[in-house]
Amino acid sequence: MDNASPTRAVLFCTPAAPALLPAPQQSDDTGPRKLKRSYILTPLSSFSTLSSTHSANKTQHQKWKQPVASVLEIGGVKIVKDDVVRDDPTNNVPDTIFSKLGVQLHRRAQHPIGILKNAIYNYFDVNYSGKFDKFDDLCPIVSVKQNFDDVLVPEDHVSRSYNDTYYIDPETVLRCHTSAHQAELLTEGHTHFLVTGDVYRRDSIDSTHYPVFHQMEGVRVFSPAECEASGMDATSYAAGDLKKCLEGLARHLFGAVEMRWVDSYFPFTNPSFELEIYFQEKWLEVLGCGVMEQEILKRTGKINNVAWAFGLGLERLAMVLFEIPDIRLFWSTDERFTSQFSQGQLGVKFKPFSKFPPCYKDMSFWINDSFTENNLCEVVRGIAGDLVEEVRLIDNFTNKKGMTSHCYRIAYRSMERSLTDEEINQLQGNVREVAQSKLNVVLR
Ligand code: FA5
Ligand code: MG
C-alpha cells in the first residue's frame, strides 16, 4: 500500500532499486517516519460523535463541507447513513467520511479527477483497441473478504487494523483500495479491466495524503499462448509488459517527466514495483503494481495464466499533471478552483487564486500504549475539517521513567480565506480537549 503512510510502510515497502533514473534520492514516502510507529489492532470507538459536536464546519464555515445526505445511492445500491455511521465500538466511520460517499469526483467530466480518468481510458482505448472493460460505479462498501482475503492480505497485516481502515462492522469496510474488486471481476470472466473508485484510509495529514482519494485498478490476464509466443519466462514477460504499459501511460499524460521505478512489496503481486515522479522537489509515489500472485488467478479459475495488475493514485497523478499543490483542493467547491478545469483539457496548469499564510500550533503530550498518529489525525480532522493542512511530529523523547512525549505541529490554513486568530485558537483548544478526553494523552 502507500508507503508514504507510516502505518503501512513497514510491511509494504522494500528498499529502492532505481531503473529509469540513476542515483536515487530518498522519496518523501520512504523517510524515517515509517519506523516510528506501533499499532493497535483492537477496535476504537467511533469518532463520529466528535466530529458532530466539535466540527468547525458547524459554526461559520459551511463552505468547506459537502452536504451530508442521509440516504445515498451508489451503483444502484441504497446506502442509509445510520447503517454506515454507528455509535458502536466496531464502527469507526465518522460523519466527515460518510459525507464523501457518493460524491464520486471521478465521474465528473469537468473535475481534474474525472478529466484524468478519461485521459487514461483514452490511452487504453487507443493502445488496446477498446479491449479493457471499465467500471467506475462499484460500491465502495465491501466485505473484509473482498478487501483483504481475496487478495491474500495476511490475517495479521497492519492494513486490516481499525487504526488504518474504516470499518462499518467487523465484516464490512470502506474499501481501502480498488484491488478489492480484482477477484470478483476475474471470477466473472473479465481478463482486461480498469476499475476507478473512491477509496478510504485512516492516514496521516499532509499535502499529498487525504482519507478519501481515488484509485484506478488495471488488470491484464495473458493466455498461455501469448506467454509461449514471447519465448520468455512468463513472469518476466508480464513484468516487462506492465512496465512498458505504465511508462507509455506516463508519457501520454506528462510528456517528459522525471520518474523512477522502485522495488516494492504487496501481498497480491510478485514481483512488485512502485513508480515515483519528481514533484515539488520530492519523489512522489504515484502507483503500485506487479505480477499477480498465481494463487489469486487459481482461485478465480485461471490455472495456466499469468497476469499483471496496477493501482494508480489519481490525486497524486492529477497533482503532477495540473500542478495542484495541495490534495484538499480536489474537494473544493470554490468556483475559483472548479472553473479552471474543463472536460478533455489536459494541458491546464492550476493558477493559485490566493495564498493565505499558514498558522502553526504546537501541542506536546505524554502518550500511552494505545496512542497512534492516525487517531490523532482523525481527531484533528473531525474538529478542523479541511482547515488542517498538516500534522507533523516534530519532537519525540522518552524520559528516565519510561514515559514518552510527542510534540506535534499542526498547520492550519484555508485555501479560500484568511483565518482569524480567534478561530484558530478555538480549533486548537478543541483539539487539545478532545485529544485529552478521547485519546487519554496527558497534555504538557
Ligand atoms: C495499493 O493500494 C495497491 N492496491 C496498489 C496495487 C494494485 C499494487 C495492484 C499492485 C497491484 P498503495 O497503498 O501504494 O497500493 O496505493 C496506491 C497509490 O495510491 C499510491 O501509490 C498513491 O499514489 C495513492 N495513495 C495512497 N495513499 C494515499 C492517500 N492517503 N492520499 C492520496 N493518495 C494516496
Ligand atoms: Mg504504496
Side-chain angles (χ1 to χ4, degrees):
M1 310 233 154
D2 177 29
N3 63 357
S5 161
T7 49
R8 291 164 197 272
V10 181
L11 283 160
F12 278 154
C13 189
T14 48
L20 297 185
L21 267 188
Q25 293 167 24
Q26 184 137 81
S27 142
D28 180 33
D29 288 352
T30 54
R33 296 165 70 203
K34 73 175 185 178
L35 296 172
K36 70 174 187 253
R37 302 291 309 283
S38 65
Y39 310 106
I40 50 157
L41 290 161
T42 47
L44 259 184
S45 57
S46 167
F47 283 111
S48 55
T49 39
L50 300 183
S51 42
S52 54
T53 48
H54 291 272
S55 170
N57 303 302
K58 271 207 121 180
T59 52
Q60 64 259 55
H61 315 303
Q62 298 290 348
K63 223 174 152 191
W64 277 93
K65 220 170 183 178
Q66 309 273 351
V68 186
S70 57
V71 184
L72 303 167
E73 202 172 307
I74 306 171
V77 181
K78 255 211 176 95
I79 300 171
V80 179
K81 185 176 170 205
D82 291 348
D83 292 338
V84 177
V85 182
R86 286 180 294 101
D87 196 6
D88 165 332
T90 67
N91 180 294
N92 62 355
V93 182
D95 280 1
T96 46
I97 289 297
F98 182 81
S99 72
K100 301 291 199 281
L101 280 171
V103 176
Q104 296 193 311
L105 297 178
H106 59 285
R107 300 183 76 210
R108 300 179 181 197
Q110 312 249 19
H111 188 280
I113 299 296
I115 299 168
L116 173 62
K117 179 196 80 174
N118 287 328
I120 301 172
Y121 281 1
N122 180 258
Y123 169 79
F124 279 91
D125 284 344
V126 168
N127 289 280
Y128 298 91
S129 52
K131 241 181 146 184
F132 277 76
D133 301 324
K134 304 181 193 80
F135 303 87
D136 71 358
D137 200 17
L138 300 178
C139 185
I141 298 176
V142 299
S143 63
V144 165
K145 176 175 176 298
Q146 288 171 294
N147 200 74
F148 297 119
D149 303 341
D150 286 352
V151 283
L152 315 177
V153 176
E155 277 300 324
D156 59 351
H157 196 278
V158 64
S159 65
R160 290 184 182 247
S161 75
Y162 272 68
N163 187 52
D164 284 37
T165 291
Y166 290 107
Y167 278 80
I168 291 174
D169 62 44
E171 277 86 46
T172 319
V173 296
L174 296 179
R175 68 183 162 211
C176 71
H177 54 180
T178 43
S179 304
H181 301 287
Q182 275 186 15
E184 64 189 271
L185 292 171
L186 286 166
T187 306
E188 284 171 17
H190 299 280
T191 56
H192 296 66
F193 57 87
L194 300 170
V195 181
T196 316
D198 35 320
V199 301
Y200 298 79
R201 289 184 194 179
R202 298 180 92 240
D203 215 330
S204 42
I205 298 181
D206 63 30
S207 64
T208 60
H209 288 83
Y210 202 77
V212 188
F213 59 100
H214 296 77
Q215 286 190 339
M216 188 189 295
E217 193 83 3
V219 170
R220 176 179 187 179
V221 182
F222 295 93
S223 67
E226 282 173 298
C227 295
E228 252 166 57
S230 76
M232 294 168 70
D233 128 71
T235 303
S236 315
Y237 171 59
D241 186 81
L242 170 65
K243 284 188 170 175
K244 233 181 353 201
C245 167
L246 292 171
E247 285 168 19
L249 174 63
R251 270 195 307 276
H252 171 75
L253 295 175
F254 303 115
V257 71
E258 271 190 281
M259 54 187 170
R260 67 182 187 187
W261 286 108
V262 172
D263 283 342
S264 189
Y265 168 78
F266 297 100
F268 27 92
T269 49
N270 188 19
S272 306
F273 316 98
E274 288 180 329
L275 187 69
E276 297 183 345
I277 293 184
Y278 202 67
F279 177 64
Q280 291 184 341
E281 285 146 33
K282 280 180 188 151
W283 287 104
L284 179 67
E285 182 203 312
V286 296
L287 67 89
C289 66
V291 178
M292 192 178 285
E293 282 287 358
Q294 278 299 314
E295 179 64 20
I296 298 177
L297 287 167
K298 203 169 93 190
R299 287 186 193 178
T300 58
K302 295 181 170 57
I303 299 171
N304 293 313
N305 302 75
V306 176
W308 55 237
F310 63 73
L312 312 177
L314 293 184
E315 274 79 356
R316 301 272 182 94
L317 290 168
M319 288 175 85
V320 177
L321 192 59
F322 299 104
E323 294 179 6
I324 294 173
D326 191 301
I327 198 164
R328 291 174 297 164
L329 279 162
F330 291 104
W331 297 94
S332 176
T333 50
D334 191 315
E335 238 218 357
R336 291 169 296 176
F337 176 77
T338 54
S339 66
Q340 293 195 31
F341 307 97
S342 13
Q343 183 162 355
Q345 300 233 316
L346 271 192
V348 175
K349 298 298 172 210
F350 171 65
K351 287 187 215 62
F353 40 85
S354 53
K355 184 92 176 164
F356 296 101
C359 175
Y360 299 102
K361 293 280 173 193
D362 291 354
M363 178 176 167
S364 298
F365 47 82
W366 299 109
I367 63 164
N368 50 46
D369 286 349
S370 64
F371 174 80
T372 72
E373 188 174 298
N374 281 359
N375 288 345
L376 175 67
C377 287
E378 198 80 349
V379 165
V380 181
R381 277 218 208 268
I383 292 165
D386 281 352
L387 298 180
V388 56
E389 180 171 271
E390 187 173 35
V391 174
R392 191 157 61 90
L393 182 66
I394 56 167
D395 190 38
N396 176 6
F397 70 87
T398 303
N399 70 9
K400 281 187 194 143
K401 291 187 196 150
M403 292 160 71
T404 299
S405 164
H406 281 183
C407 179
Y408 282 91
R409 176 157 295 167
I410 305 178
Y412 295 99
R413 187 201 317 241
S414 164
M415 285 165 296
E416 298 170 349
R417 62 190 179 81
S418 291
L419 299 174
T420 63
D421 281 348
E422 192 193 343
E423 205 176 329
I424 291 166
N425 287 338
Q426 198 183 342
L427 291 175
Q428 181 69 4
N430 284 344
V431 167
R432 290 173 67 86
E433 195 184 301
V434 177
Q436 195 164 234
S437 62
K438 296 281 172 185
L439 306 181
N440 297 321
V441 300
V442 178
L443 296 174
R444 302 181 51 223

